[in-house]
Structures are given as structure tokens and as C-alpha cells.
Amino acid sequence: MIPCYNEEQRLPRTIEQIERYLDAKEAPYELILVDDGSADGTRQVMDAAAERRDGIRVEALPHNRGKGRALAVGVEAAKGDEVLITDADLSTPIEELDKLQAALRGGAGVAIGSRALRASRVEVSQPFYRVLMGKGFNLIVQAVLLPGIWDTQCGFKLFRGDVARSVFAGLTTDGFGFDPEVLYRARKQGVKIAEVPVVWRNSAETKVSPVRSSLDMLKHVIRLRFRASRAPES
């Protein structure tokens, strides 16, 4: 599944790479493309791909809501036993899916790509200030919400189908801060989360503002922690 906002330039090559990889596996699949209210030709690219290939489906939001909301719409439409979330820039190559599938076969309900583990390979790094801000954000997430998870924000995550539909249903975070929320909800449900080292290459074109997006994600993490602390004991 690929959430997209103004991705008409990168999306055609990304679809081609994913199709080539999945076709070689010779297993049935669906590729869900979610248009998050794009203002460019993204929807036209999606529709052309869906007309060409039966396994490609398009979901669309009437206006831009954010990555989290786009994914919630896509997950609701997904029918597969496994649901992969990946970004339109394929910062994590699609070939890394094998590692995440192995983690699910090993008993995990969620397998998340990680740039923070010793065996991870960051081939093209972010600018240093983004790296520092990302590490700072993750330390806060660990302290208040998800201890033991070192990289919640890598955009390459594989969910068991039933887990995906459960944790994305009722999602409250529309924007980039959705990752901590769905992982927190999975952990609260007793789902095993496996953090998997992957190859990662920074894309120069990013929709994540280093200040505005980080502050918005932090706000949602704190709000989620506050709601959790007020929840009655079961």
C-alpha cells in the first residue's frame, strides 16, 4: 500500500519496481494506491495503472488529510492476509519485504523496518539536523509511549492483516504521527512487534517539515500518552 500526496513524478517508477518484485514472487497480491487529495497528476497516474492491471486498486480522499488518514482509508479497503505500508519514494527498497515477512512467520503481528539497529544499512543519510531531530523524537516516544522500539518513523511496515485492520480502525492521528499510535495500539492488544534492520536511502524530496511536522508528531504522542494515563484500569 502506498499513500501519496503530489507524487506524479516518482509514482510511475515506484509502481514499476513493486510490480516487478511481486510478480517474480509468483504469489497473488493487491497494490493499493491511496491519493491523499493530490493537486497534481497523481490521481491520473494511479487510474492509468489500475486500468492496466487488475491487481492495482485506487482509494482517494476528497482533500488532503495527511498520511495517517490516507493509510486508514487504504487499510480499511485491504483484503490481504498481510498489509505492507511503504512510501512512494521507496526509501526502503521493496526487496526488504522478505525480511519483514520472515519476522511475521516467526510470530510477530507487526514487523517494522528500522534504521537504528546495528545491522541496518543507511546508504544515503538525511541531513544531520534531521537525524538529530529524529533521534530526539524517538527518545521521547520511548520514554512516554513505546519503550524498546528504536525507530517508529521508518515508512516500511508489515502488518498481519487482522492486526492492521484493528489498529487503524478508529485512528485519531491524521498526519505523520500515526506511527506511534498504531504501534502503541498493537502493543496494548498484546501483539508482538518485531523491529527489523533494513537498507534505507534518504530521498531529497520529502513532505516532512523538520520543525512543523516534528512538533505536530510530538503533540500527538503526548496527547496519546495523556489519554492512556486517564484510561480506567481493566
Side-chain angles (χ1 to χ4, degrees):
M1 177 183 311
I2 310 175
C4 299
Y5 178 63
N6 292 345
E7 292 287 1
E8 68 171 321
Q9 297 300 318
R10 293 190 289 200
L11 190 56
R13 176 168 171 75
T14 295
I15 294 173
E16 178 186 343
Q17 289 178 285
I18 292 175
E19 283 185 302
R20 186 186 308 123
Y21 167 77
L22 293 178
D23 286 345
K25 293 174 78 72
E26 297 184 346
Y29 68 89
E30 60 178 1
L31 176 57
I32 300 177
L33 309 172
V34 186
D35 179 21
D36 185 19
S38 297
D40 64 355
T42 295
R43 180 62 187 273
Q44 287 77 13
V45 171
M46 291 179 173
D47 288 343
E51 289 176 8
R52 173 178 54 80
R53 184 72 176 259
D54 288 340
I56 297 178
R57 297 168 52 198
V58 177
E59 299 292 330
L61 283 72
H63 57 272
N64 181 243
R65 290 280 302 276
K67 185 178 180 181
R69 186 53 44 200
L71 285 171
V73 169
V75 167
E76 185 178 10
K79 295 181 172 60
D81 294 333
E82 297 177 347
V83 177
L84 174 71
I85 292 170
T86 187
D87 291 333
D89 60 11
L90 284 184
S91 290
T92 301
I94 186 61
E95 290 77 12
E96 297 295 277
L97 173 59
D98 289 348
K99 298 177 183 177
L100 273 59
Q101 288 180 316
L104 259 59
R105 290 195 298 270
V110 184
I112 62 174
S114 176
R115 299 159 290 187
L117 302 179
R118 186 181 298 274
S120 304
R121 193 166 84 241
V122 177
E123 295 185 343
V124 181
S125 182
Q126 294 176 303
F128 76 95
Y129 62 90
R130 284 187 179 272
V131 173
L132 291 176
M133 292 183 71
K135 289 182 176 180
F137 174 76
N138 194 71
L139 286 174
I140 294 171
V141 172
Q142 285 213 52
V144 304
L145 207 62
L146 291 165
I149 296 182
W150 291 96
D151 185 4
T152 61
Q153 299 309 116
C154 179
F156 199 71
K157 294 179 173 68
L158 182 67
F159 297 79
R160 210 172 62 217
D162 61 314
V163 173
R165 287 179 274 275
S166 174
V167 299
F168 276 94
L171 184 74
T172 64
T173 308
D174 282 358
F176 290 109
F178 79 92
D179 299 90
E181 180 176 349
V182 295
L183 296 178
Y184 177 73
R185 296 180 74 177
R187 179 170 279 182
K188 289 286 284 184
Q189 294 174 17
V191 174
K192 179 183 176 182
I193 300 173
E195 195 167 4
V196 180
V198 293
V199 174
W200 192 81
R201 304 161 186 148
N202 180 56
S203 172
E205 297 180 22
T206 176
K207 304 293 193 306
V208 183
S209 165
V211 177
R212 184 178 66 253
S213 296
S214 296
L215 290 174
D216 183 64
M217 289 189 293
L218 181 60
K219 176 186 70 175
H220 286 291
V221 166
I222 293 172
R223 182 180 298 166
L224 185 59
R225 175 70 268 179
F226 180 70
R227 285 202 303 266
S229 67
R230 296 184 61 186
E233 294 291 334
S234 57

